[in-house]
């Protein structure tokens, strides 16, 4: 990755802090225009580093006083830091540093630091927001014990919260009140939080296995209390799970979740006081879909699990971000799988996770922002909260899990906490602990090589070729690691756990015995090969028929596999593979080759009978779960197809995907009708995997039926969809029907959209969906683009609310490629204008949005040249934030 003007920070330059802040006593006089902060810190020199001035971070603050041990001292500002020189003369030992400053929460449109939203005060400090509240050593390896006093007008801000336990609260003069909080656990400043707002809470007392009582609270705005049950249940489930699976208990008397409407991220794991985007808290059957319910469970879990993986053990520096994020994503994925229950529901979750990885992380790893899981340098750390650090990081943890086994991983986690609880550590420390707890494992044997997963960017490509020798009844797999992308030189070989099986054409799972293994015990039908070299051969013996190899089962490593299987082989896997992931994958690959062929050719699409029959067989299968069927029948996304094409013509890809979809709608018409009629869960709404799978399949069927009806000029299914839209008793069905109408361009789409708005315009999260549906509608003659531009002027649209901005602008630009990429470049002109506008308001949001054009260099002309021009126009703006500058500079460095 390359960077231009702004300062690059390098991992290799890490040095320990010159001072430690052991404790901090903060007092806030909260006022939207001018909040006063008094910070009294117990500070000590770090005797391991040479004596030097104390340099504190601070951003957009007004400093009023600095004193040391009660006496004012002189200070200076240098390179954006507050420098205090006078400390070298102090006697050894701790001293008290007091700083008084003010900040302006109401003017804080960046939503980093202390800001206002909906009339309340909220904070977001990760990664470097604390320095926007007061001067501090705002780095994760400085861990302090916090005591926080909040003072504010009682009528406007009846609820005053900070981390830890409530020590006291009371009245003050002038209608003000106060609350004093104490967090007994030393923590880095990025985990600090405060809330002062008019909120109500759902509360629950629980007793954990250890017999301790805890108070759980979910705070929301008045009127939203009836949407907090699922979040509370998810929190309780998370607490129970972490104690049962990893023996990690809740360590505070009180655990709070607060929902906030203006929020850059999804949620934040502040110690004992998690702040959440409302999107990941609020749910009722009438307003939230099955997917929303699942997301809430997973995000509540994720933030809760950070309490140990992130908070108790944190990162030494921000290059180690995946230490907490990769591990915590792995933990939340395991949690969701364990909650899902059945093997089939677990597989569905795994498929969804892999689909996300390949749709989002693989392109990142092949584009201008490619970086290792543990980056070596950055300009703006907020640009590195990426799918690579999170999702690929979780895959790296999953590979360790695979290499040491479930018990071994649990032992490794215990050793990790034994060694490092209360400390700020590195990815190396984590990997070493897992390996040390499993000295006999392949991980321990290969650790330095395994850690290339942390240091090398790019998605490894693995080719596999199998050869069956009938006379000797042997099957030899030759496997090669061939670099990351076409044309790129090979990386140093990785350690790759490759889960495999061999299947007979009749579907029989064949025993797997390697040539040097004894023939006494029964050979397993699945095993994990550990690849370590650039090229390796594995010979299996006693193989009585020519097998079809089922490789990379469960997606056992984040690689691209090229195995040269024929359609006939893939059909065998789709029909028989005991591994549900590979069964799904076989269907995706069959679809992919047809979609790519359709995108290349100008001839009308004519799907072959074996493919259609295979899809029908899955749809009609007697024992497969509905959710799994739905995933098999979901065609690869346009984004994924784009990654498999060169150059990329978004309109051709869209047209091909639409054509294949229409043909499946037409040829499987009777099967879709059957699927719709037979997948209607009875009884009251429940977001469990079985019912939500049924709803997903019914909604897909309805969408297919509407497409086919509209193509034939019938009104039967659009009419039924409209009726279902009106009668629905839950949001999943209502939205499914609405999407079916909008995506088929049925006449009923307009009245349905109108009605939907009338019903839900007071529900911000549902209104986000209303914007998103219109922004993602399939483009016809520029009408969707025209409507999109109209919607930007809608009175309910605001670019300042991140959820709303994402629901309209990001949805259109990132998730509607055929509408966004236009030969007249109007989409790119819009993009550039809005990156620049947003950058003046909220640089973190702007730089996320800026990444929409990361893959510009892959585009076909005329898109490619026009996209580059738009990026160059943004880059030419002199006062860009470091956030956006890093993105556009890197984008322009690609050719
Ligand atoms: N740790 C936060 C993300 C903070 C984003 C800062 N730009 C949420 C999470 O990963 O749990
Ligand atoms: Zn996280």
């Amino acid at each position: 990755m390359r960077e231009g003007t702004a300062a690059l920070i390098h991992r290799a330059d890490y040095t320990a802090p010159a001072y430690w802040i052991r404790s901090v006593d903060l007092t806030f006089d909260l006022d939207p225009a001018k909040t006063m902060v008094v910070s009294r810190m117990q500070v000590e020199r770090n005797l391991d580093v040479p004596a030097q001035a104390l340099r504190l971070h601070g951003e957009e603050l007004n400093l009023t006083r600095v004193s040391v041990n009660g006496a004012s001292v002189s200070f200076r500002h240098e390179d954006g830091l507050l420098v205090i020189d006078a400390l070298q003369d102090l006697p050894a030992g701790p001293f008290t540093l007091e700083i008084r400053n003010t900040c302006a929460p109401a003017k804080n449109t960046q939503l980093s630091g202390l800001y206002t939203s909906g009339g309340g005060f909220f904070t977001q400090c990760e990664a470097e927001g604390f320095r926007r509240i007061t001067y501090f050593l705002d780095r994760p390896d400085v861990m302090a014990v916090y005591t926080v006093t909040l003072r504010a007008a009682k009528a406007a801000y009846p609820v005053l919260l900070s981390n830890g336990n409530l020590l006291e609260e009371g009245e003050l003069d002038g209608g003000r009140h106060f609350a004093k909080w104490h967090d007994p656990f030393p923590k880095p400043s990025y985990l600090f939080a405060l809330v002062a707002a008019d909120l109500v809470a759902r509360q629950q007392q629980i007793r954990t296995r250890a017999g301790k009582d805890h108070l759980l609270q979910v705070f929301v705005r008045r009127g939203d209390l009836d949407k907090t049950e699922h979040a509370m249940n998810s929190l309780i489930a998370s607490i129970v799970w972490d104690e049962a699976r990893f023996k990690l208990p809740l360590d505070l008397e009180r655990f709070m979740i607060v929902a906030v409407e203006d929020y850059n991220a999804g949620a934040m794991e502040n110690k004992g006081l998690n702040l959440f985007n409302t999107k990941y808290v609020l749910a009722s059957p009438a307003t939230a879909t099955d997917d929303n319910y699942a997301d809430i469970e997973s995000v509540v879990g994720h933030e809760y699990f950070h309490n140990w993986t992130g908070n108790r053990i944190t990162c030494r520096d921000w290059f180690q971000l995946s230490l907490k994020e990769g591990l915590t994503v792995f933990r939340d994925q395991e949690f969701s799988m364990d909650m899902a229950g059945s093997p089939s529901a677990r597989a569905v979750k795994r498929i969804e996770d892999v689909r996300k990885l390949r749709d989002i992380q693989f392109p990142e790893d092949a584009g201008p922002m490619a970086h290792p899981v543990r980056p070596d340098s950055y300009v703006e750390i907020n640009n590195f909260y990426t799918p690579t650090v999170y999702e690929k990081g979780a895959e790296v943890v999953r590979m360790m899990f695979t290499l040491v086994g479930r018990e071994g991983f649990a032992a490794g986690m215990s050793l990790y906490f034994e060694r490092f609880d209360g400390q700020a550590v590195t990815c190396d420390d984590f990997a070493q602990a897992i390996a040390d707890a499993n000295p006999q494992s392949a991980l321990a044997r290969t650790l330095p090589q395994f850690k290339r997963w942390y240091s090398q960017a790019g998605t490894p490509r693995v080719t596999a070729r199998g050869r069956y020798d009938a006379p000797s009844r042997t099957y030899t797999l030759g496997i090669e690691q061939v670099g990351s992308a076409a044309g790129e030189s090979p990386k140093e070989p990785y350690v790759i756990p490759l889960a495999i099986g061999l299947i007979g054409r009749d579907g029989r799972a064949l025993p797997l015995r390697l040539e040097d293994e004894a023939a006494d015990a029964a050979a397993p039908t699945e095993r994990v090969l550990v690849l370590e070299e650039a090229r390796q051969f594995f010979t299996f013996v006693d193989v009585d028929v020519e097998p079809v190899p089922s490789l990379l089962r469960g997606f056992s490593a984040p690689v691209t596999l090229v195995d040269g299987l024929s359609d006939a082989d893939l059909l065998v896997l789709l029909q028989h593979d005991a591994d549900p992931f590979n069964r799904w994958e076989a269907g995706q690959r069959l679809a992919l080759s047809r979609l790519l062929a359709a995108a290349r050719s100008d001839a009308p699409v004519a799907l072959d009978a074996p493919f259609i029959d295979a899809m029908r067989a899955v749809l009609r299968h007697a024992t497969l779960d509905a959710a799994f069927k739905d995933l098999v029948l979901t065609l690869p996304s346009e984004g994924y197809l784009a990654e498999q094409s060169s150059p990329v013509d978004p309109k051709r890809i869209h047209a091909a995907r639409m054509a294949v979809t229409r043909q499946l709608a037409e040829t499987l018409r009777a099967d879709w009708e059957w699927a719709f009629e037979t997948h209607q869960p009875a009884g009251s709404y429940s977001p469990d995997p079985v019912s939500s799978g049924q709803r997903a399949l019914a909604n897909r069927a309805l969408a297919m039926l509407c497409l086919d009806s509209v193509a034939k000029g019938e009104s039967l299914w659009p009419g039924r969809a409209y009726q279902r839209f009106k009668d629905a008793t839950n949001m999943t069905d209502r939205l499914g029907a609405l999407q079916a109408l909008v995506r088929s361009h049925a006449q009923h789409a307009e009245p349905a959209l109108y009605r939907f708005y009338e019903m839900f315009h007071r529900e911000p999260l549902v209104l986000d969906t209303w914007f998103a549906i219109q922004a993602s509608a399939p483009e016809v003659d520029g009408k969707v683009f025209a409507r999109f531009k109209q919607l930007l002027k809608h009175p309910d649209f605001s670019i300042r609310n991140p959820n709303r901005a994402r629901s309209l602008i990001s949805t259109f630009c990132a998730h509607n490629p055929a509408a966004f990429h236009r030969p007249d470049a109007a989409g790119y002109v819009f993009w550039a204008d809005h990156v620049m506008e947003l950058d003046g308001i909220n640089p973190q949001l702007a730089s996320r949005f800026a990444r929409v054009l990361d893959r510009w260099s892959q585009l076909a002309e005329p898109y490619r040249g026009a996209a580059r021009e738009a990026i160059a126009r943004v880059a030419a703006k002199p006062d860009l934030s470091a956030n956006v500058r890093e993105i556009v500079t890197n984008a322009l460095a690609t050719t």
Side-chain angles (χ1 to χ4, degrees):
M1 213 171 69
R2 298 238 313 272
E3 228 297 307
T5 50
L8 259 182
I9 300 169
H10 295 276
R11 183 168 60 88
D13 293 345
Y14 172 83
T15 52
Y19 291 82
W20 301 111
I21 302 177
R22 302 296 187 190
S23 67
V24 52
D25 199 321
L26 291 166
T27 303
F28 288 86
D29 273 292
L30 291 161
D31 181 285
K34 190 176 177 182
T35 286
M36 297 214 296
V37 186
V38 180
S39 166
R40 195 170 299 118
M41 294 162 268
Q42 295 304 311
V43 186
E44 256 176 71
R45 256 194 60 207
N46 178 358
L47 300 173
D48 296 341
V49 302
Q52 55 195 279
L54 173 59
R55 291 183 164 76
L56 298 175
H57 303 107
E59 203 179 288
E60 292 185 26
L61 301 173
N62 275 316
L63 181 58
T64 49
R65 184 166 189 253
V66 182
S67 69
V68 171
N69 291 336
S72 287
V73 293
S74 62
F75 54 83
R76 59 197 164 91
H77 290 278
E78 192 182 281
D79 301 331
L81 298 165
L82 172 65
V83 185
I84 306 167
D85 293 298
L87 305 167
Q88 280 113 310
D89 310 331
L90 291 176
F95 58 91
T96 304
L97 171 66
E98 188 181 290
I99 292 185
R100 288 167 185 259
N101 68 270
T102 64
C103 59
K107 285 203 192 127
N108 185 356
T109 59
Q110 296 190 21
L111 313 184
S112 162
L114 176 64
Y115 65 94
T116 56
S117 167
F121 292 93
F122 301 88
T123 53
Q124 170 57 37
C125 291
E126 190 176 0
E128 297 178 336
F130 192 75
R131 64 188 62 182
R132 297 167 56 77
I133 298 174
T134 187
Y135 294 91
F136 207 73
L137 287 172
D138 190 13
R139 45 185 287 169
D141 55 353
V142 172
M143 297 168 85
V145 171
Y146 285 64
T147 305
V148 179
T149 305
L150 305 174
R151 299 193 202 124
K154 188 168 182 178
Y157 313 105
V159 171
L160 303 175
L161 310 174
S162 191
N163 315 82
N165 303 317
L166 181 63
L167 292 186
E168 58 174 311
E169 56 189 336
E171 307 295 316
L172 297 167
D173 292 343
R176 292 174 77 78
H177 69 151
F178 79 95
K180 187 170 182 178
W181 294 81
H182 177 74
D183 178 1
F185 294 95
K187 64 169 176 284
S189 49
Y190 81 86
L191 290 174
F192 166 80
L194 77 77
V195 170
D198 186 4
L199 303 173
V200 287
R202 174 185 290 269
Q203 322 208 94
Q204 189 146 336
Q205 288 278 353
I206 57 158
R207 180 163 295 172
T208 52
R209 287 189 173 195
K212 290 221 177 91
D213 291 321
H214 306 265
L215 174 64
L216 311 181
Q217 293 172 303
V218 178
F219 287 90
V220 294
R221 288 221 312 231
R222 276 169 212 286
D224 282 335
L225 212 49
D226 59 339
K227 302 196 191 82
T228 52
E229 186 183 357
H230 183 62
M232 178 62 89
N233 289 342
S234 302
L235 177 59
I236 295 170
S238 307
I239 295 170
V240 170
W241 182 85
D242 216 12
E243 217 176 349
R245 173 99 186 241
F246 286 110
K247 314 243 174 318
L248 299 172
L250 174 54
D251 58 9
L252 283 165
E253 290 162 26
R254 189 194 277 252
F255 194 90
M256 298 169 278
I257 286 177
V258 180
V260 50
E261 201 171 325
D262 297 290
Y263 203 67
N264 279 345
M268 178 65 213
E269 69 263 23
N270 315 300
K271 184 83 189 183
L273 178 57
N274 287 186
L275 260 68
F276 270 64
N277 189 321
T278 44
K279 187 176 160 68
Y280 297 113
V281 175
L282 304 179
S284 71
T287 57
T289 62
D290 293 335
D291 289 343
N292 297 145
Y293 274 82
D295 288 347
I296 289 170
E297 181 180 270
S298 131
V299 178
V300 168
H302 180 97
E303 305 313 328
Y304 177 74
F305 304 142
H306 266 315
N307 189 45
W308 283 92
T309 50
N311 301 3
R312 290 284 289 249
I313 303 183
T314 192
C315 303
R316 184 194 72 174
D317 54 72
W318 289 122
F319 296 101
Q320 318 298 330
L321 183 57
S322 199
L323 171 77
K324 74 178 179 80
E325 295 305 347
L327 176 55
T328 305
V329 171
F330 169 79
R331 273 153 55 69
D332 85 52
Q333 291 175 347
E334 287 291 299
F335 166 62
S336 294
M337 280 196 254
D338 287 349
M339 292 296 287
S342 73
S344 168
R346 296 179 73 88
V348 164
K349 168 68 179 156
R350 180 66 185 145
I351 291 166
E352 288 166 350
D353 290 341
V354 174
R355 201 163 60 175
K356 180 171 174 194
L357 182 85
R358 291 203 297 214
D359 279 358
I360 303 170
Q361 195 278 327
F362 277 26
E364 175 168 273
D365 235 349
M369 277 295 287
H371 54 276
V373 167
R374 183 191 55 208
D376 291 316
S377 62
Y378 61 75
V379 172
E380 170 52 61
I381 184 56
N382 285 307
N383 283 337
F384 286 81
Y385 286 74
T386 57
T388 298
V389 166
Y390 276 63
E391 275 74 26
K392 186 176 180 182
E395 294 301 321
V396 173
V397 175
R398 186 169 295 284
M399 287 188 285
M400 293 191 214
F401 175 80
T402 303
L403 290 172
V404 302
R406 190 180 157 113
E407 302 299 317
F409 189 78
M413 287 286 279
S414 299
L415 185 60
Y416 175 59
F417 288 107
E418 212 171 281
R419 282 185 184 167
F420 302 116
D421 188 12
Q423 298 178 42
V425 306
T426 64
C427 298
D428 289 319
D429 293 327
F430 174 75
Q432 193 69 50
I434 303 296
D436 287 353
N438 297 277
Q440 306 304 326
S441 66
L443 180 67
R445 184 167 51 74
T446 62
L447 190 62
Q449 188 187 344
F450 180 86
K451 289 199 294 184
R452 286 175 190 157
W453 284 109
Y454 283 109
S455 59
Q456 299 187 148
T459 305
R461 274 168 79 83
V462 174
T463 62
R465 288 288 175 275
R467 206 174 60 82
Y468 182 62
D469 183 55
S472 63
R473 296 168 66 235
T474 58
Y475 181 75
T476 302
L477 260 181
I479 300 180
E480 209 171 332
Q481 302 188 32
V482 287
S484 318
E488 194 182 320
S489 58
K491 307 266 168 172
E492 293 294 314
Y494 291 86
V495 176
I496 298 177
L498 189 77
I500 70 153
L502 296 177
I503 297 176
R505 285 188 185 274
D506 57 356
R508 192 162 45 102
L510 305 175
L512 304 173
R513 192 189 316 281
L514 286 167
E515 57 186 346
D516 50 357
E517 289 173 346
D520 42 9
T525 55
E526 174 169 304
R527 58 192 296 167
V528 178
L529 306 177
V530 182
L531 312 181
E532 300 168 50
E533 289 153 34
R535 214 165 158 208
Q536 258 167 298
F537 293 91
F538 297 88
T539 298
F540 295 92
V541 295
D542 303 331
V543 184
D544 52 15
V545 290
E546 176 164 18
V548 179
S550 165
L551 307 178
L552 200 67
R553 282 184 159 181
F555 203 68
S556 58
V559 303
T560 304
L561 173 70
V562 184
D563 58 13
L565 294 191
S566 66
D567 274 11
D569 297 332
L570 292 171
L571 286 165
V572 170
L573 297 182
L574 177 59
Q575 206 183 343
H576 298 296
D577 202 322
D579 179 63
F581 178 84
N582 268 8
R583 201 167 179 182
W584 168 79
E585 175 76 340
Q588 293 292 293
R589 287 171 61 181
L590 289 164
L592 182 68
S593 54
R594 282 148 186 84
L595 286 158
L596 293 177
R600 276 192 300 267
S601 149
D602 290 319
V605 171
L607 292 175
D608 51 295
F611 176 68
I612 289 171
D613 291 345
M615 290 295 129
R616 179 182 291 114
V618 170
L619 188 52
R620 291 273 192 172
H621 199 281
T623 55
L624 288 173
D625 279 357
F628 181 79
K629 293 180 178 185
D630 177 54
L631 287 174
V632 173
L633 286 146
T634 304
L635 296 174
S637 69
E638 287 177 34
Y640 188 70
L641 292 169
E643 287 300 314
Q644 316 298 318
S645 320
S646 183
V648 176
D649 185 328
K651 289 198 187 298
R652 285 189 85 98
I653 288 174
H654 175 71
R657 194 169 183 276
M658 281 308 290
V660 171
T661 307
R662 282 206 194 91
Q663 210 167 108
L664 285 173
E666 186 182 359
T667 49
L668 299 181
R669 168 87 180 230
D671 309 284
W672 293 120
E673 286 179 343
W674 166 84
F676 181 75
E677 304 296 353
T678 53
H679 290 83
Q680 305 293 339
S684 62
Y685 174 82
S686 146
D688 64 87
V690 172
S691 336
S692 57
Q694 293 194 332
R695 280 188 288 272
L697 191 60
N699 279 333
R700 177 163 314 280
L702 187 60
M704 291 304 230
L705 293 163
C706 284
L707 264 185
D708 194 45
S709 270
V710 171
K712 293 189 169 121
E714 315 162 352
S715 60
L716 172 68
W717 280 100
R720 281 194 68 177
Y722 189 52
Q723 197 58 42
R724 182 173 163 93
F725 162 78
K726 287 192 288 187
D727 297 344
T729 56
N730 64 70
M731 183 51 95
T732 308
D733 286 346
R734 196 183 305 279
L735 197 60
L738 178 60
Q739 292 277 31
L741 294 170
V742 171
R743 293 198 178 153
S744 62
H745 298 288
Q747 278 176 1
H748 299 76
E750 288 308 319
L753 280 168
Y754 177 80
R755 251 186 128 97
F756 193 81
Y757 178 83
E758 289 300 306
M759 288 175 81
F760 294 110
H761 67 276
R762 286 188 196 84
E763 297 280 355
L765 295 171
V766 187
L767 202 50
D768 289 339
T769 306
W770 182 80
F771 279 104
I773 293 170
Q774 297 175 81
S776 59
E779 182 60 291
V780 184
D781 303 332
K783 290 200 186 91
V784 171
F785 185 55
R787 170 174 293 210
F788 165 69
K789 290 210 289 195
Q790 278 310 113
L791 286 169
L792 289 164
K793 298 185 204 135
H794 194 283
D796 289 313
F797 180 72
S798 160
I799 202 165
R800 283 168 189 263
N801 173 261
N803 286 355
R804 191 59 48 87
R806 283 186 282 252
S807 73
L808 184 59
I809 298 186
S810 305
T811 301
F812 180 80
C813 298
H815 302 294
N816 200 346
F820 171 62
H821 298 276
R822 296 165 53 95
D824 69 0
Y828 306 151
V829 170
F830 169 87
W831 171 86
D833 290 344
H834 283 77
V835 169
M836 291 188 282
E837 182 187 343
L838 258 180
D839 197 37
I841 301 167
N842 185 335
Q844 285 189 42
L845 199 58
S847 73
R848 272 291 147 119
F849 175 52
R851 293 200 53 192
V852 162
L853 278 180
D854 263 12
R855 300 293 275 147
W856 68 272
S857 69
Q858 302 303 303
L859 292 167
E861 293 296 357
Y863 309 110
R864 188 179 190 278
R868 189 181 197 289
E869 211 171 287
I871 302 168
R873 185 156 70 87
V874 174
K877 188 167 186 274
D879 56 348
L880 282 183
S881 68
N883 308 54
V884 169
R885 178 147 318 279
E886 182 171 34
I887 302 299
V888 292
T889 308
N890 286 331
L892 290 176
T894 42
T895 45

